[in-house]
Coordinates of all heavy atoms in Angstrom, one line a residue:
M1 N 0.8 -1.2 0.0 CA 0.0 0.0 0.0 C 0.9 1.2 0.0 O 1.8 1.4 0.8 CB -0.9 0.0 1.2 CG -1.9 1.1 1.3 SD -3.1 0.8 2.6 CE -2.7 2.0 3.7
P2 N 0.7 2.2 -0.9 CA 1.5 3.4 -1.0 C 1.3 4.3 0.2 O 0.2 4.3 0.8 CB 1.1 4.1 -2.3 CG -0.2 3.5 -2.6 CD -0.3 2.1 -2.0
I3 N 2.3 5.1 0.6 CA 2.2 6.0 1.7 C 1.5 7.3 1.2 O 1.9 7.8 0.2 CB 3.6 6.3 2.3 CG1 4.2 5.1 2.9 CG2 3.5 7.4 3.3 CD1 5.6 5.3 3.3
N4 N 0.5 7.8 1.9 CA -0.1 9.1 1.6 C 0.7 10.2 2.2 O 0.5 10.5 3.4 CB -1.6 9.1 2.1 CG -2.3 10.4 1.7 OD1 -1.7 11.3 1.1 ND2 -3.5 10.5 2.2
I5 N 1.6 10.8 1.5 CA 2.4 11.9 2.1 C 1.6 13.2 2.2 O 2.2 14.1 2.8 CB 3.7 12.1 1.3 CG1 3.4 12.6 -0.2 CG2 4.6 10.9 1.2 CD1 4.6 13.1 -0.9
T6 N 0.4 13.3 1.8 CA -0.4 14.5 2.0 C -1.2 14.4 3.3 O -1.7 15.4 3.7 CB -1.4 14.7 0.8 OG1 -2.3 13.6 0.8 CG2 -0.7 14.9 -0.5
A7 N -1.2 13.3 3.9 CA -1.9 13.2 5.2 C -1.1 14.0 6.3 O 0.2 14.1 6.2 CB -2.0 11.7 5.7
P8 N -1.7 14.6 7.3 CA -1.0 15.4 8.2 C 0.1 14.6 8.9 O 0.0 13.6 9.4 CB -2.1 15.7 9.3 CG -3.4 15.6 8.5 CD -3.2 14.5 7.5
L9 N 1.3 15.3 8.8 CA 2.5 14.8 9.5 C 3.2 13.6 8.9 O 4.3 13.2 9.2 CB 2.3 14.6 11.0 CG 1.7 15.8 11.7 CD1 1.5 15.5 13.2 CD2 2.5 17.1 11.6
T10 N 2.5 12.9 8.0 CA 3.0 11.6 7.4 C 4.3 11.9 6.6 O 5.3 11.2 6.7 CB 2.0 10.9 6.5 OG1 0.9 10.6 7.3 CG2 2.6 9.6 5.9
G11 N 4.3 13.0 5.8 CA 5.5 13.3 5.0 C 6.7 13.5 5.8 O 7.8 13.0 5.5
V12 N 6.6 14.2 7.0 CA 7.8 14.4 7.8 C 8.3 13.2 8.5 O 9.5 12.8 8.4 CB 7.6 15.5 8.8 CG1 8.7 15.7 9.8 CG2 7.2 16.8 8.1
F13 N 7.4 12.5 9.2 CA 7.8 11.4 10.0 C 7.9 10.0 9.3 O 8.7 9.2 9.8 CB 6.7 11.2 11.2 CG 6.8 12.3 12.2 CD1 5.6 13.0 12.4 CD2 7.9 12.7 12.8 CE1 5.6 14.1 13.4 CE2 7.9 13.7 13.8 CZ 6.8 14.4 14.0
V14 N 7.2 9.8 8.2 CA 7.3 8.5 7.5 C 8.0 8.6 6.2 O 8.9 7.8 6.0 CB 5.8 8.0 7.3 CG1 5.9 6.7 6.6 CG2 5.1 7.9 8.6
A15 N 7.7 9.5 5.4 CA 8.2 9.5 4.0 C 9.5 10.3 3.9 O 10.2 10.2 2.9 CB 7.2 10.0 3.0
G16 N 9.8 11.2 4.8 CA 11.0 12.1 4.7 C 10.8 13.2 3.7 O 11.7 13.7 3.2
V17 N 9.5 13.5 3.3 CA 9.2 14.5 2.4 C 8.5 15.6 3.1 O 7.5 15.3 3.8 CB 8.3 14.0 1.2 CG1 7.9 15.1 0.3 CG2 9.0 12.9 0.5
Y18 N 8.9 16.9 3.0 CA 8.3 17.9 3.9 C 8.5 19.3 3.3 O 9.3 19.5 2.4 CB 8.9 17.9 5.3 CG 10.5 17.9 5.3 CD1 11.2 19.0 5.2 CD2 11.2 16.7 5.3 CE1 12.5 19.0 5.2 CE2 12.5 16.7 5.3 CZ 13.2 17.9 5.3 OH 14.6 17.8 5.2
T19 N 7.7 20.2 3.8 CA 7.8 21.6 3.5 C 8.0 22.4 4.8 O 8.1 21.8 5.9 CB 6.4 22.1 3.0 OG1 5.4 21.9 4.0 CG2 6.0 21.3 1.7
C20 N 8.2 23.6 4.7 CA 8.4 24.5 5.9 C 7.2 24.4 6.8 O 7.4 24.2 8.0 CB 8.6 25.9 5.4 SG 9.3 27.0 6.7
A21 N 6.0 24.4 6.3 CA 4.8 24.3 7.1 C 4.7 22.9 7.7 O 4.4 22.8 8.9 CB 3.6 24.5 6.2
G22 N 5.1 21.9 7.0 CA 5.1 20.5 7.5 C 6.0 20.3 8.6 O 5.6 19.7 9.6
T23 N 7.2 20.8 8.5 CA 8.2 20.6 9.6 C 7.7 21.4 10.9 O 7.9 21.0 12.0 CB 9.6 21.1 9.3 OG1 9.6 22.5 8.9 CG2 10.2 20.2 8.2
T24 N 7.1 22.6 10.6 CA 6.6 23.4 11.8 C 5.5 22.7 12.5 O 5.4 22.6 13.7 CB 6.2 24.8 11.3 OG1 7.3 25.4 10.7 CG2 5.7 25.6 12.5
R25 N 4.5 22.1 11.7 CA 3.4 21.4 12.3 C 3.9 20.1 13.0 O 3.5 19.7 14.1 CB 2.4 21.0 11.3 CG 1.6 22.2 10.8 CD 0.5 21.8 9.8 NE -0.1 23.1 9.3 CZ 0.0 23.6 8.1 NH1 0.8 23.0 7.2 NH2 -0.6 24.7 7.8
A26 N 4.9 19.4 12.4 CA 5.4 18.2 13.0 C 6.2 18.5 14.3 O 6.0 17.9 15.4 CB 6.4 17.5 12.1
L27 N 7.0 19.6 14.3 CA 7.6 20.0 15.5 C 6.6 20.5 16.6 O 6.8 20.1 17.8 CB 8.6 21.2 15.2 CG 9.4 21.8 16.4 CD1 10.2 20.7 17.1 CD2 10.3 22.9 15.9
G28 N 5.6 21.1 16.2 CA 4.5 21.5 17.1 C 3.9 20.3 17.7 O 3.5 20.3 18.9
R29 N 3.7 19.3 17.0 CA 3.1 18.0 17.5 C 4.0 17.4 18.6 O 3.5 17.0 19.6 CB 2.9 17.0 16.4 CG 2.3 15.7 16.8 CD 0.8 15.8 17.2 NE 0.1 15.8 16.0 CZ -1.2 15.7 15.9 NH1 -1.9 15.6 17.0 NH2 -1.8 15.7 14.7
V30 N 5.3 17.4 18.3 CA 6.3 16.9 19.3 C 6.2 17.8 20.6 O 6.2 17.3 21.7 CB 7.7 16.9 18.7 CG1 8.7 16.6 19.8 CG2 7.7 15.8 17.6
L31 N 6.2 19.1 20.4 CA 6.1 20.0 21.5 C 4.8 19.8 22.3 O 4.9 19.9 23.6 CB 6.2 21.5 21.0 CG 7.6 21.9 20.5 CD1 7.5 23.2 19.7 CD2 8.6 22.0 21.6
D32 N 3.7 19.6 21.6 CA 2.5 19.3 22.3 C 2.6 18.0 23.2 O 2.2 18.0 24.4 CB 1.3 19.0 21.3 CG 0.7 20.2 20.7 OD1 0.9 21.3 21.3 OD2 0.1 20.1 19.6
Y33 N 3.2 17.0 22.6 CA 3.4 15.7 23.3 C 4.3 15.9 24.6 O 4.1 15.3 25.6 CB 4.1 14.7 22.4 CG 4.3 13.4 23.0 CD1 3.2 12.5 23.1 CD2 5.5 13.0 23.4 CE1 3.4 11.2 23.7 CE2 5.7 11.7 24.0 CZ 4.6 10.9 24.2 OH 4.8 9.6 24.7
M34 N 5.3 16.8 24.4 CA 6.2 17.1 25.6 C 5.6 18.1 26.6 O 6.2 18.3 27.6 CB 7.5 17.7 25.0 CG 8.3 16.7 24.2 SD 9.7 17.4 23.4 CE 10.7 17.8 24.8
G35 N 4.4 18.7 26.3 CA 3.7 19.5 27.2 C 4.1 21.0 27.1 O 3.8 21.8 28.0
Y36 N 4.8 21.4 26.0 CA 5.2 22.8 25.9 C 4.2 23.6 25.0 O 3.6 23.0 24.0 CB 6.5 22.9 25.2 CG 7.6 22.4 26.1 CD1 8.3 21.2 25.8 CD2 8.0 23.1 27.2 CE1 9.3 20.7 26.6 CE2 9.0 22.6 28.0 CZ 9.7 21.5 27.7 OH 10.7 21.0 28.5
G37 N 3.9 24.8 25.3 CA 3.1 25.7 24.5 C 3.8 26.2 23.4 O 5.1 26.5 23.4
W38 N 3.2 26.4 22.2 CA 3.8 26.9 21.0 C 2.8 27.6 20.1 O 1.6 27.4 20.3 CB 4.5 25.8 20.3 CG 3.6 24.8 19.7 CD1 3.0 23.8 20.4 CD2 3.2 24.7 18.3 NE1 2.2 23.1 19.5 CE2 2.3 23.6 18.3 CE3 3.4 25.4 17.2 CZ2 1.7 23.2 17.1 CZ3 2.8 25.1 16.0 CH2 2.0 24.0 16.0
Q39 N 3.3 28.5 19.3 CA 2.5 29.2 18.3 C 3.2 29.0 16.9 O 4.4 29.0 16.8 CB 2.4 30.6 18.5 CG 1.7 31.0 19.8 CD 1.8 32.5 20.0 OE1 2.8 33.1 20.0 NE2 0.6 33.1 20.2
H40 N 2.4 28.8 15.9 CA 2.8 28.6 14.5 C 3.0 30.0 13.9 O 2.0 30.7 13.6 CB 1.8 27.8 13.8 CG 2.3 27.3 12.4 ND1 1.9 26.1 11.9 CD2 3.1 27.9 11.5 CE1 2.5 25.9 10.7 NE2 3.2 27.0 10.4
V41 N 4.2 30.4 13.6 CA 4.4 31.7 13.0 C 4.3 31.6 11.4 O 4.8 30.7 10.8 CB 5.9 32.2 13.3 CG1 6.1 33.6 12.6 CG2 6.0 32.4 14.8
N42 N 3.6 32.6 10.9 CA 3.3 32.6 9.4 C 2.5 31.4 8.9 O 2.7 31.0 7.7 CB 4.6 32.8 8.6 CG 5.3 34.1 8.9 OD1 4.6 35.1 9.1 ND2 6.6 34.1 8.8
E43 N 1.6 30.9 9.7 CA 0.8 29.7 9.3 C 0.0 30.1 8.1 O -0.6 31.2 8.0 CB -0.1 29.3 10.5 CG -0.8 28.0 10.2 CD -1.6 27.5 11.4 OE1 -1.8 28.2 12.4 OE2 -2.0 26.3 11.3
N44 N -0.1 29.2 7.1 CA -0.8 29.3 5.9 C -0.4 30.5 5.1 O -1.2 31.1 4.4 CB -2.4 29.4 6.2 CG -2.8 28.1 6.8 OD1 -2.4 27.0 6.5 ND2 -3.7 28.2 7.8
K45 N 0.8 30.9 5.2 CA 1.4 32.0 4.3 C 2.5 31.4 3.5 O 3.2 30.5 3.9 CB 1.9 33.1 5.2 CG 0.8 33.8 6.0 CD 1.3 35.0 6.7 CE 0.2 35.7 7.5 NZ 0.7 36.7 8.3
W46 N 2.7 32.1 2.4 CA 3.8 31.7 1.5 C 5.1 32.4 2.0 O 5.6 33.3 1.4 CB 3.5 32.1 0.0 CG 4.4 31.4 -0.9 CD1 5.4 32.0 -1.6 CD2 4.3 30.1 -1.4 NE1 6.0 31.1 -2.4 CE2 5.4 29.9 -2.4 CE3 3.5 29.0 -1.2 CZ2 5.6 28.7 -3.0 CZ3 3.7 27.8 -1.8 CH2 4.7 27.7 -2.7
S47 N 5.6 31.9 3.1 CA 6.7 32.5 3.8 C 7.3 31.5 4.7 O 6.7 30.4 5.0 CB 6.2 33.7 4.7 OG 7.3 34.3 5.3
H48 N 8.5 31.8 5.2 CA 9.2 30.8 6.2 C 8.3 30.7 7.4 O 7.7 31.7 7.8 CB 10.6 31.3 6.5 CG 11.3 30.3 7.3 ND1 11.6 29.1 6.9 CD2 11.8 30.4 8.6 CE1 12.3 28.4 7.8 NE2 12.4 29.2 8.9
Q49 N 8.3 29.5 8.0 CA 7.4 29.3 9.2 C 8.3 28.6 10.3 O 9.2 27.9 10.0 CB 6.3 28.4 8.8 CG 5.4 29.1 7.7 CD 4.3 28.2 7.3 OE1 3.8 27.4 8.0 NE2 3.9 28.4 6.0
W50 N 7.9 28.9 11.5 CA 8.6 28.3 12.7 C 7.7 28.4 13.9 O 6.6 28.9 13.8 CB 9.9 29.0 12.9 CG 9.8 30.5 13.4 CD1 9.8 30.9 14.7 CD2 9.7 31.6 12.6 NE1 9.7 32.3 14.7 CE2 9.6 32.7 13.4 CE3 9.7 31.8 11.2 CZ2 9.5 34.0 13.0 CZ3 9.6 33.1 10.7 CH2 9.5 34.2 11.6
C51 N 8.2 27.8 15.0 CA 7.4 27.8 16.2 C 7.9 28.8 17.2 O 9.1 28.9 17.4 CB 7.5 26.4 16.9 SG 6.8 25.1 16.0
I52 N 7.0 29.6 17.8 CA 7.4 30.3 19.0 C 7.0 29.4 20.2 O 5.9 28.9 20.3 CB 6.6 31.7 19.2 CG1 7.0 32.6 18.0 CG2 6.9 32.3 20.5 CD1 6.3 33.9 18.0
V53 N 8.0 29.2 21.1 CA 7.9 28.2 22.1 C 8.0 28.8 23.5 O 8.8 29.8 23.6 CB 9.0 27.1 22.0 CG1 8.8 26.0 23.0 CG2 9.0 26.5 20.6
T54 N 7.2 28.3 24.4 CA 7.4 28.7 25.8 C 7.9 27.5 26.6 O 7.2 26.5 26.7 CB 6.1 29.3 26.4 OG1 5.6 30.3 25.6 CG2 6.3 29.8 27.8
M55 N 9.1 27.7 27.2 CA 9.7 26.6 28.0 C 10.2 27.2 29.3 O 10.9 28.2 29.3 CB 10.9 26.0 27.3 CG 10.5 25.2 26.1 SD 12.0 24.5 25.4 CE 11.3 23.3 24.3
D56 N 9.7 26.7 30.4 CA 10.1 27.1 31.7 C 9.9 28.6 31.9 O 10.8 29.4 32.5 CB 11.6 26.8 32.0 CG 11.8 25.3 32.0 OD1 10.9 24.5 32.4 OD2 12.9 24.9 31.5
G57 N 8.8 29.1 31.4 CA 8.5 30.6 31.5 C 9.2 31.5 30.6 O 9.1 32.7 30.7
Q58 N 10.0 31.0 29.7 CA 10.8 31.8 28.7 C 10.3 31.5 27.3 O 10.1 30.4 27.0 CB 12.3 31.5 28.8 CG 12.9 31.8 30.1 CD 14.4 31.6 30.1 OE1 15.1 32.0 29.2 NE2 14.9 30.9 31.1
A59 N 10.2 32.6 26.5 CA 9.8 32.4 25.1 C 11.0 32.3 24.3 O 12.1 32.8 24.6 CB 9.0 33.7 24.7
G60 N 10.9 31.6 23.2 CA 12.0 31.4 22.3 C 11.4 30.9 21.0 O 10.2 31.0 20.7
Y61 N 12.2 30.3 20.2 CA 11.8 29.8 18.9 C 12.4 28.4 18.6 O 13.5 28.1 19.1 CB 12.1 30.8 17.8 CG 13.6 31.0 17.5 CD1 14.3 30.1 16.7 CD2 14.3 31.9 18.2 CE1 15.6 30.3 16.5 CE2 15.6 32.1 18.0 CZ 16.3 31.3 17.2 OH 17.6 31.4 17.0
A62 N 11.8 27.7 17.8 CA 12.3 26.4 17.3 C 12.0 26.3 15.8 O 10.8 26.6 15.4 CB 11.7 25.2 18.0
D63 N 12.9 26.0 15.0 CA 12.8 26.0 13.5 C 13.1 24.7 13.0 O 14.3 24.3 12.9 CB 13.6 27.1 12.9 CG 13.4 27.3 11.5 OD1 13.0 26.4 10.8 OD2 13.6 28.4 11.0
G64 N 12.1 23.9 12.7 CA 12.4 22.5 12.2 C 13.1 22.5 10.8 O 13.9 21.6 10.5
M65 N 12.8 23.4 10.0 CA 13.4 23.5 8.7 C 14.8 24.0 8.7 O 15.7 23.4 8.1 CB 12.6 24.4 7.7 CG 12.9 24.2 6.3 SD 12.2 22.7 5.7 CE 12.0 23.1 4.0
G66 N 15.1 24.9 9.6 CA 16.4 25.5 9.7 C 17.3 24.7 10.7 O 18.5 24.9 10.8
R67 N 16.6 23.8 11.4 CA 17.2 22.9 12.4 C 18.0 23.7 13.5 O 19.1 23.4 13.9 CB 18.2 21.9 11.8 CG 17.4 20.9 10.9 CD 18.3 20.0 10.2 NE 18.7 20.6 8.9 CZ 19.7 20.3 8.2 NH1 20.5 19.3 8.5 NH2 20.0 20.9 7.1
Y68 N 17.3 24.7 14.1 CA 17.9 25.4 15.2 C 16.8 25.9 16.1 O 15.6 26.0 15.8 CB 18.8 26.5 14.7 CG 18.2 27.5 13.7 CD1 17.3 28.5 14.1 CD2 18.5 27.4 12.4 CE1 16.8 29.4 13.2 CE2 18.0 28.3 11.5 CZ 17.1 29.3 11.9 OH 16.6 30.1 11.0
C69 N 17.2 26.2 17.3 CA 16.3 26.8 18.3 C 17.1 27.7 19.3 O 18.3 27.6 19.4 CB 15.6 25.7 19.1 SG 16.6 24.6 20.0
R70 N 16.4 28.5 20.0 CA 17.0 29.4 20.9 C 15.9 30.0 21.8 O 14.8 30.4 21.3 CB 17.7 30.5 20.2 CG 18.4 31.5 21.2 CD 19.2 32.6 20.4 NE 20.3 31.9 19.8 CZ 21.1 32.5 18.9 NH1 20.9 33.7 18.5 NH2 22.1 31.8 18.4
L71 N 16.2 30.2 23.1 CA 15.3 30.9 23.9 C 15.6 32.4 23.7 O 16.7 32.8 23.7 CB 15.5 30.6 25.4 CG 15.0 29.2 25.8 CD1 15.3 28.9 27.2 CD2 13.5 29.1 25.6
R72 N 14.5 33.2 23.5 CA 14.7 34.6 23.2 C 13.4 35.3 23.7 O 12.3 34.8 23.4 CB 15.0 34.8 21.8 CG 15.3 36.2 21.4 CD 15.8 36.3 20.0 NE 15.6 37.7 19.6 CZ 16.1 38.2 18.5 NH1 16.8 37.4 17.7 NH2 16.0 39.4 18.1
R73 N 13.5 36.3 24.3 CA 12.3 37.0 24.9 C 11.2 37.3 23.9 O 10.1 37.2 24.2 CB 12.7 38.2 25.7 CG 13.4 37.8 26.9 CD 13.8 39.0 27.8 NE 14.6 38.4 28.9 CZ 15.2 39.1 29.8 NH1 15.0 40.4 29.8 NH2 15.9 38.6 30.7
D74 N 11.6 37.8 22.7 CA 10.6 38.2 21.8 C 10.2 37.1 20.8 O 9.3 37.3 20.0 CB 11.2 39.4 20.9 CG 12.5 39.1 20.2 OD1 12.9 37.9 20.2 OD2 13.1 40.1 19.8
G75 N 10.7 35.9 20.9 CA 10.3 34.8 20.1 C 10.7 34.9 18.7 O 10.4 34.0 17.9
K76 N 11.5 35.9 18.3 CA 12.0 36.0 16.9 C 13.2 35.1 16.7 O 13.9 34.8 17.6 CB 12.4 37.5 16.6 CG 11.2 38.4 16.6 CD 11.6 39.8 16.3 CE 10.5 40.8 16.2 NZ 10.9 42.1 15.8
R77 N 13.4 34.8 15.5 CA 14.6 34.0 15.1 C 15.8 34.9 15.1 O 15.6 36.1 15.0 CB 14.4 33.4 13.7 CG 13.3 32.4 13.7 CD 13.0 31.9 12.3 NE 12.7 33.0 11.4 CZ 13.1 33.1 10.2 NH1 13.8 32.1 9.6 NH2 12.8 34.1 9.4
H78 N 17.0 34.4 15.0 CA 18.2 35.1 15.1 C 18.3 36.1 13.9 O 18.9 37.1 13.9 CB 19.4 34.2 15.2 CG 19.7 33.5 13.9 ND1 18.9 32.4 13.5 CD2 20.6 33.7 13.0 CE1 19.4 31.9 12.4 NE2 20.4 32.7 12.0
D79 N 17.7 35.7 12.7 CA 17.9 36.5 11.5 C 16.7 37.5 11.3 O 16.6 38.1 10.3 CB 18.0 35.6 10.3 CG 16.9 34.6 10.1 OD1 16.0 34.5 11.0 OD2 16.8 34.0 9.0
D80 N 15.9 37.6 12.3 CA 14.7 38.6 12.2 C 15.1 39.9 12.9 O 14.2 40.8 13.0 CB 13.5 38.0 12.9 CG 12.8 37.0 12.1 OD1 13.0 36.9 10.9 OD2 12.1 36.2 12.6
G81 N 16.3 40.1 13.4 CA 16.7 41.4 13.9 C 16.5 41.5 15.4 O 16.2 41.0 16.2

């Protein structure tokens, strides 16, 4: 039976095929499972996407496509200024 890579999260976790939105949603699912709050930045936009994450009372970001993360008060990525 062929794998449906259009099903939610299947592309990232099973097929290894993904988009910026897909990696953000997959990372968000992992963060949900771990009990962390997060927001999807630029969701449903034709733009780079990442998660703003709250861990231990500190805001930061996690970027599944860029493969980096950092705690930062404003939740912006390092290249957002």
Side-chain angles (χ1 to χ4, degrees):
M1 183 165 114
I3 297 172
N4 179 3
I5 63 169
T6 62
L9 309 178
T10 302
V12 175
F13 292 124
V14 178
V17 176
Y18 50 86
T19 63
C20 194
T23 59
T24 302
R25 289 184 182 107
L27 180 56
R29 179 73 81 168
V30 171
L31 291 166
D32 283 339
Y33 183 77
M34 294 172 64
Y36 292 110
W38 66 282
Q39 295 175 308
H40 190 146
V41 177
N42 294 328
E43 186 174 14
N44 298 322
K45 294 183 181 175
W46 195 258
S47 181
H48 187 62
Q49 301 177 29
W50 66 93
C51 298
I52 294 177
V53 185
T54 304
M55 293 183 167
D56 301 326
Q58 295 185 50
Y61 64 89
D63 187 332
M65 194 74 156
R67 295 177 272 165
Y68 50 80
C69 61
R70 178 177 294 169
L71 288 177
R72 185 170 163 170
R73 291 183 186 179
D74 56 13
K76 291 183 179 180
R77 296 175 302 144
H78 72 286
D79 56 351
D80 283 340

